[in-house]
Amino acid sequence: MPRVLIANDHGAVDLSRRIKEHLEKRGYEVNWIGVQTESRVDYPDMAKAAADEFFKGGYDFGIVNCGTGIGISISINKIPGIRCALVHDLYTAELTKRHNNPNFIAFGGRCTYSDSVEAMLDMFIDSKFEGGRHQERIDKMMALDKLV
Ligand code: RB5
């Protein structure tokens, strides 16, 4: 059974629950480690928890959500080995899989999207990484954190 991890702050509780339900309908085993109430937490702490859990292994990909998706995606992208795409429509959901092959994607629970998050997730899951020159670019991208 494919496995996915979800983490979130208080700005994306309902969205994270919706994502969990949608992915379970698609046959995923979902490990939701985010907060499930509106009590305030700091998104960098949730990003760190998500990466720690992801690196235990066994996950197809992870999802991180905050109010905008921005703070938590910036935070988790600072952790070596993580490549998180902030997706905002069907086009970016498709192209990030085909070209960037991220191990995390991010959404904003307080955002108004033109496409549903469920449709974006389906597009991401059903799109295929193209490899080739895109893998070469990813290798360069992932080597950037060794420069600092
Ligand atoms: C929390 O209030 C909010 O700042 C957070 O969810 C996120 O939007 C930050 O980027």
Side-chain angles (χ1 to χ4, degrees):
M1 182 185 275
R3 279 180 87 213
V4 72
L5 167 71
I6 305 174
N8 59 281
D9 76 359
H10 54 285
V13 176
D14 289 345
L15 176 66
S16 298
R17 184 175 295 111
R18 263 177 55 203
I19 289 173
K20 177 177 186 289
E21 288 169 2
H22 182 69
L23 291 177
E24 284 174 345
K25 277 189 211 139
R26 278 200 61 141
Y28 279 81
E29 179 188 331
V30 178
N31 185 10
W32 183 14
I33 64 165
V35 289
Q36 300 184 20
T37 71
E38 307 294 324
S39 54
R40 215 177 294 166
V41 291
D42 294 333
Y43 56 79
D45 296 333
M46 301 315 297
K48 170 79 167 56
D52 286 346
E53 178 59 29
F54 185 78
F55 288 133
K56 290 178 186 170
Y59 291 98
D60 287 45
F61 66 99
I63 301 169
V64 283
N65 306 314
C66 65
T68 57
I70 296 173
I72 201 162
S73 60
I74 292 173
S75 300
I76 203 164
N77 272 316
K78 294 179 74 67
I79 300 172
I82 299 292
R83 189 164 63 258
C84 178
L86 179 58
V87 169
H88 56 86
D89 58 13
L90 289 175
Y91 179 75
T92 53
E94 177 184 354
L95 267 288
T96 197
K97 183 66 161 298
R98 286 173 52 189
H99 292 183
N100 315 124
N101 198 26
N103 48 19
F104 270 84
I105 55 175
F107 296 103
R110 296 172 181 158
C111 294
T112 304
Y113 294 115
S114 53
D115 302 304
S116 75
V117 169
E118 288 85 349
M120 290 190 259
L121 276 168
D122 288 343
M123 180 63 88
F124 177 78
I125 290 167
D126 295 335
S127 298
K128 298 276 171 282
F129 177 51
E130 293 174 8
R133 70 183 186 281
H134 300 294
Q135 184 59 57
E136 291 167 18
R137 291 165 183 163
I138 289 171
D139 293 342
K140 288 185 180 184
M141 182 203 305
M142 299 312 281
L144 289 175
D145 61 20
K146 299 190 180 74
L147 298 178
V148 290

